[in-house]
């Protein structure tokens, strides 16, 4: 039997079939006709069955007794958690409880977990790992366009004349989107990459600009300045569709291109060449990912890219736009459905009384008015303001910056509940561990990076006593006195499409014989909306808004003691904290150990040879790992993938936050490199 | 030649199922996707109306991932083999390129004396091939002498005359026996049918995209310069798909999953991975992607294949072309090779 579902790894959302034999998934293969992947998968997608069948999959609920975990029944653990949560709520108030949803879980799981936080517990302390990847996208694009999502669709890449890729190692992180870009290029599309690392796509690009990490606003402003200077902007579009152009132009009057070239490290001639390539294109598309977002200036980096698109009229038509590639398979959905502390489903501000009134009526309970804490804030106030945390499907102990502090803080909680498919590093600190069903063992929907809501289908039974996340939450909520009587995720989706406008009309019936529908769904087109902002922007005025953005240097500049900039990222063969991929033999073989990429010049002056063990330290910690010498990274910069607990890059990163989106600075950390 | 229609084919399939044979055939999964899989009743298969399945039927014999043993410390030193199920099989609707693929894998295993699940499963398989009427634009079996109709290896081969009506060609002794057994469900083909078949075949051949560079490229394989491999190496993103989907790839790896308790699994491997050729001490025989692509193309196309297998080991199925997430497929390679 072959069951059509969605790849659980990245936000591309490839359509896959799981082949079931005797109750086990023993093969996976891509759909040939799926509009996203058309017969392709990346190495991660091809190895999905491994983690599903892994003997370490969590099978039973566990409860801590002293230093050990012992098996308990579902009734016991849920009663215990319910009792503890009520106790803490009574004693410290609902805001002493924090809840983390998960971009790996379904829309239905996530909708329920935020409803659980808000309606059952009574707090807006609910967030998820999007805080660490695209919080700044949501904040930035809402400022400029009024909607925090990829403006255009994957299928449109071949229609672009130019694709500008920045801060995205697309070939490794969104491989099947790289397929579209490579094929577009074969069809005549020009590809330009701006990135501190010479990524695989940079190697085959028509133009490659290498800039210093953290200087994005400088090169983007240079682009804007050159466009205005050379009058390459789209006057008609600016007049009819935007506001605040004058403000932007004013802010750039004294902007020095020489200075920008110096700060970014990009020669002025290349800045001009790049600008012209982008601005002169009939249709130009911007693609970006965490190289743009994970900075203290993350929101403004995104806003700057939006400026670029608005200035050249590259929004609101096919083959253009500002296109954030979302990391996790369902980070779009988890954000849409408000696993975020300041909004209710569909990005409706929780501090707006009208919005609150509507939801209070819908959910039959008063919604708390004060925006809650973010992931990072919750963790850092653990043991103080926050007394209990409920973590569904996340592993902050490895994914969040400054691990030592995270570990200490989580250890100070009165109650830590972790719900996951494997007993993760974070679970080791938990009081209660709840085994969850994986994507292959439950029904629901995921929303991919291009807003495509797709059906996730149950192919097999969960291992042991593991249960679907939505069911665990509902059971717990019932115990806490707020009834959640759903019998199937389709009922939850039905509620979602009623309360959240962008999901309106998207039901299980609609998704049944389909490869998914991109929100918003107009009730007609088979695959939903291809691109946003066609006639109006989603802002109040309906216009795209320019913002004057000043360059903000990264919080840590290299100095004598820490002379290098460390930037972090991922390997194409591991996934985040490795809970699934490190248990997958062919992926683990391909990327078995941590390494630091270093330029040959730097290696030479430090006396480091390829393969040597080196120590990398920052103001917060140190790790030892292998040196990989490559010309793909500029002198003065080193790169470390963050997957490996034996050399966790996040021991080094700090907790400097973007003041607007609260995303941490993960791309620029001052470090020292020495031979061990 | 005999003549048979799809209803009769379903009846025969029903008889096979009743006798306890397992039948593998293409099935429509919805929205134009097809897969070769075990069917439980004779209404389930659909052999025409699409070009080919995405997974080659080799997956039935050589599984993407299969448990070959179990171990456990707690369970008093559990250590046992897991045997592959051996069934009397019927493979219905296999395309000529994929049939040639199976024959090549057979030949590969004939040379080694290993007791592989593939070998065990491959025994007792009755093969009903289906000659392709309509190629996809990635198909090039005409250039590799492996289609669009099969010349060997089948027990029966079906040639479509019109929807649901086929000429049935017998290709083996076993095929003859079964054709006799089901004689009342078939009729003799007339001269007119054979003429129609000839016309259909001509029409089919005319539908193939012209690729004169394929044969030239294969002839040049020894001469291909490093710059071609480097160019392609830059365009491979290491998904492994070209090997996984290839009907002639045989490479596998074995790993133990789990520590205290777990399974020994055998699974598809790909020579496009860096780890495939990594040795102890991080030495690598093929240190860059270009050399890995060279290895793959030579594995399929180099002359030694003809010496060992009597033919090249690419059957022109085209899967590695459409599945490539980069731009390093065999078609592009042969184009470049033909220019050297
Ligand atoms: S590109 Fe992303 S969604 Fe597609 S197979 Fe790879 S990990 Fe899965
Ligand atoms: S090399 Fe490519 S075209 Fe040839 S048989 Fe293998 S998958 Fe098919
Ligand atoms: S070496 Fe490569 S091309 Fe040859 S059979 Fe193995 S995986 Fe296939
Ligand atoms: S299919 Fe393409 S990208 Fe994938 S391993 Fe093969 S050549 Fe490389």
């Amino acid at each position: 039997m072959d069951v059509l579902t969605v790849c659980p790894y990245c936000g591309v959302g490839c359509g896959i079939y799981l082949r079931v034999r005797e109750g086990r998934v023993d093969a996976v293969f891509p759909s040939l006709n799926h509009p996203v992947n058309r017969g392709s998968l990346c190495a991660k997608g091809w190895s999905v069955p491994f983690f599903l069948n892994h003997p370490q999959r969590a099978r039973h609920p566990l409860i801590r007794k002293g230093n050990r975990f012992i098996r308990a029944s579902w009734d016991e653990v849920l009663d215990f958690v319910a009792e503890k949560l009520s106790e803490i709520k009574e004693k410290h108030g609902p805001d002493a409880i924090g809840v983390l949803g998960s971009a790996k879980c379904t829309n239905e799981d996530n909708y329920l977990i935020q409803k659980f936080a808000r309606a059952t517990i009574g707090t807006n302390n609910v967030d998820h790992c999007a805080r660490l990847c695209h919080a700044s996208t949501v904040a930035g694009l809402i400022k400029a366009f009024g909607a925090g999502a990829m403006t255009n669709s994957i299928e449109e890449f071949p229609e672009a004349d130019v694709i500008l890729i920045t801060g995205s190692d697309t070939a490794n992180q969104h491989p099947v989107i790289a397929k579209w870009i490579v094929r577009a290029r074969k069809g005549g599309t020009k590809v330009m990459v701006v990135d501190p690392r010479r990524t695989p796509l940079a190697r085959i690009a028509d133009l490659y600009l290498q800039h210093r990490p953290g200087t994005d606003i400088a090169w983007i402003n240079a682009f804007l300045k050159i466009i205005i200077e050379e009058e390459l902007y789209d006057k008609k579009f600016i007049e009819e569709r935007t506001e605040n152009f004058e403000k932007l132009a004013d802010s750039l009057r004294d902007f020095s291109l020489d200075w920008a070239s110096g700060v970014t490290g990009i020669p002025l001639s290349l800045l001009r060449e790049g600008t012209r390539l982008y601005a002169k294109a009939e249709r130009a598309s911007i693609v970006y990912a965490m190289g743009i977002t994970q900075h203290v200036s993350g929101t403004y980096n995104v806003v700057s890219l939006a400026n670029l698109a608005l200035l050249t009229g590259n929004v609101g038509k096919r083959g253009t736009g500002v296109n954030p590639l979302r990391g996790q398979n369902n980070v779009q959905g988890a954000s849409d459905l408000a696993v975020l502390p300041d909004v209710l489903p569909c990005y409706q501000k929780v501090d707006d009384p009208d919005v609150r009134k509507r939801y209070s009526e819908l959910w039959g309970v008063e919604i708390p008015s004060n925006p809650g804490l973010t992931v990072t804030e919750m963790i850092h106030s653990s043991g103080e303001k926050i007394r209990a945390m409920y973590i569904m499907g996340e592993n902050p102990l490895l994914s969040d910056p400054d691990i030592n502090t995270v570990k200490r803080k989580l250890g100070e909680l009165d109650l830590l509940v972790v719900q996951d498919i494997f007993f993760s590093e974070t679970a080791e600190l938990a009081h209660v561990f709840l085994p969850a069903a994986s994507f292959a063992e439950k029904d629901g929907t995921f929303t991919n990076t291009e807003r495509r809501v797709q059906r996730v289908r149950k192919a097999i039974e969960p291992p042991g006593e593991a249960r679907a996340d939505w069911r665990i939450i509902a059971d717990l909520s019932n115990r806490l006195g707020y009834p959640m009587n759903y019998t199937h995720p389709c009922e939850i989706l039905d509620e979602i499409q009623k309360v959240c406008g962008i999901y309106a009309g998207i039901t299980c019936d609609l998704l049944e014989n389909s490869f998914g529908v991109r929100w918003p769904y107009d009730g007609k087109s088979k695959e939903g909306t291809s691109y946003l902002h066609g006639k109006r922007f989603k802002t109040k005025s309906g216009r795209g808004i320019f913002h004057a953005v000043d360059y903000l240097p990264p919080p840590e500049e290299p100095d004598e003691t820490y002379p290098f900039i460390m930037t972090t990222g991922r390997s194409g063969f591991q996934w985040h904290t490795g809970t699934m991929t490190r248990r997958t033999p062919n992926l683990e073989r391909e990327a078995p150990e941590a390494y630091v990429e270093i330029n040959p010049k730097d290696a030479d002056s430090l006396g480091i040879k390829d393969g040597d063990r080196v120590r990398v330290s920052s103001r917060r910690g140190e790790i030892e790992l292998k040196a990989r010498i490559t010309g793909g990274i500029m002198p003065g910069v080193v790169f470390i993938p963050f997957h490996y607990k034996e050399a966790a890059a996040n021991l080094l990163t700090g907790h400097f936050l973007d003041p607007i989106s609260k995303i941490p600075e993960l791309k620029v950390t001052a470090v020292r490199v020495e031979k061990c | 030649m005999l003549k048979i229609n799809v209803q009769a084919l379903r009846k025969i399939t029903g008889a096979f199922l009743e006798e306890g044979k397992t039948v593998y055939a293409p099935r429509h999964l919805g929205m134009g996707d097809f897969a070769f899989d075990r069917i439980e009743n004779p209404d389930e298969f659909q052999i025409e109306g699409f070009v080919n399945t995405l997974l080659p039927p080799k997956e039935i014999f050589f599984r993407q991932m299969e448990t070959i043993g179990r171990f456990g410390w707690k369970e008093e030193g559990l250590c046992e083999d897991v045997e592959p199920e051996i069934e009397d099989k019927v493979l219905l609707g296999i395309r000529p390129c994929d049939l040639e693929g199976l024959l090549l894998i057979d030949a590969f295993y004939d040379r080694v004396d290993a007791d592989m699940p593939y070998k065990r499963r491959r025994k007792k398989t009755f093969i009903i091939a289906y000659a392709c009427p309509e190629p996809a634009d990635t198909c090039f079996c005409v250039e590799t002498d492996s289609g669009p109709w099969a010349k060997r290896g089948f027990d029966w081969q079906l040639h479509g005359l019109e929807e649901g009506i086929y000429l049935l060609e017998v290709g083996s002794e076993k095929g003859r026996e079964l054709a006799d057994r089901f004689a009342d469900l078939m009729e003799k083909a007339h001269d007119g049918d054979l003429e129609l078949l000839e016309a259909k075949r001509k029409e089919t051949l005319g539908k193939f995209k012209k690729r004169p560079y394929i044969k030239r490229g294969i002839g040049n394989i020894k001469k291909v310069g490093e710059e071609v491999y480097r160019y392609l190496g830059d365009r491979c993103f290491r998904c492994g798909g070209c090997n996984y989907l290839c009907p002639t790839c045989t490479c596998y790896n074995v790993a133990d999953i789990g520590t205290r308790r777990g399974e020994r699994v055998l699974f598809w491997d790909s020579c496009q991975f860096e780890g495939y050729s990594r040795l102890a001490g991080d030495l690598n025989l093929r240190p860059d992607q270009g050399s890995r692509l060279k290895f793959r193309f030579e594995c399929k196309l180099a002359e030694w294949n003809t010496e060992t297998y009597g033919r090249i080991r690419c059957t022109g199925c085209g899967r590695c072309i459409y599945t490539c997430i980069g731009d390093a497929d065999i078609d592009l390679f042969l184009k470049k090779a033909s220019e050297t």
Side-chain angles (χ1 to χ4, degrees), chain A residues 250-280:
Chain A
D250 276 350
S251 75
L252 290 167
R253 205 140 287 153
D254 300 323
F255 185 85
S256 157
L257 291 175
D258 288 323
W259 169 85
S261 169
V263 167
T264 58
I266 306 173
L268 187 53
S269 59
L270 283 183
L271 281 172
R272 285 200 189 276
E273 200 184 328
T275 309
R276 289 176 193 144
L277 185 61
Y278 175 81
K280 286 187 177 166

Side-chain angles (χ1 to χ4, degrees), chain A residues 3-47:
Chain A
V3 180
L4 176 66
T5 186
V6 188
C7 173
Y9 279 110
C10 87
V12 178
C14 294
I16 58 172
Y17 287 95
L18 298 178
R19 176 156 282 189
V20 182
R21 287 191 178 103
E22 284 152 30
R24 267 168 73 112
V25 171
D26 70 359
V28 61
F29 58 97
S31 156
L32 186 58
N33 292 297
H34 194 285
V36 166
N37 53 317
R38 298 195 185 285
S40 297
L41 291 179
C42 74
K44 293 179 291 278
W46 272 115
S47 55

Side-chain angles (χ1 to χ4, degrees), chain A residues 1-2 17 19 21 24 28 31-33 39-41 54-55 179 183 186 203 514 589-590 626, chain B residues 32-33 36-37 59 63-64 67 234 238 257 261 263 269 274-275 278 282 321 323-325 327:
Chain A
M1 189 185 54
D2 301 315
Y17 287 95
R19 176 156 282 189
R21 287 191 178 103
R24 267 168 73 112
V28 61
S31 156
L32 186 58
N33 292 297
S40 297
L41 291 179
H54 201 282
K179 171 186 178 183
R183 296 205 173 183
K186 277 190 109 170
R203 280 206 291 272
S514 125
R589 182 186 71 184
E590 207 57 5
K626 213 179 222 177
Chain B
D33 287 340
F36 234 100
D37 199 6
E59 194 272 345
R63 298 279 165 85
Q64 195 177 103
T67 306
D234 273 346
R238 275 191 282 170
I257 313 277
R261 183 174 60 80
E263 295 177 354
D269 203 351
E274 189 260 333
R278 193 195 305 126
D282 274 355
I321 302 174
T323 200
C324 186
I325 58 171
D327 184 15

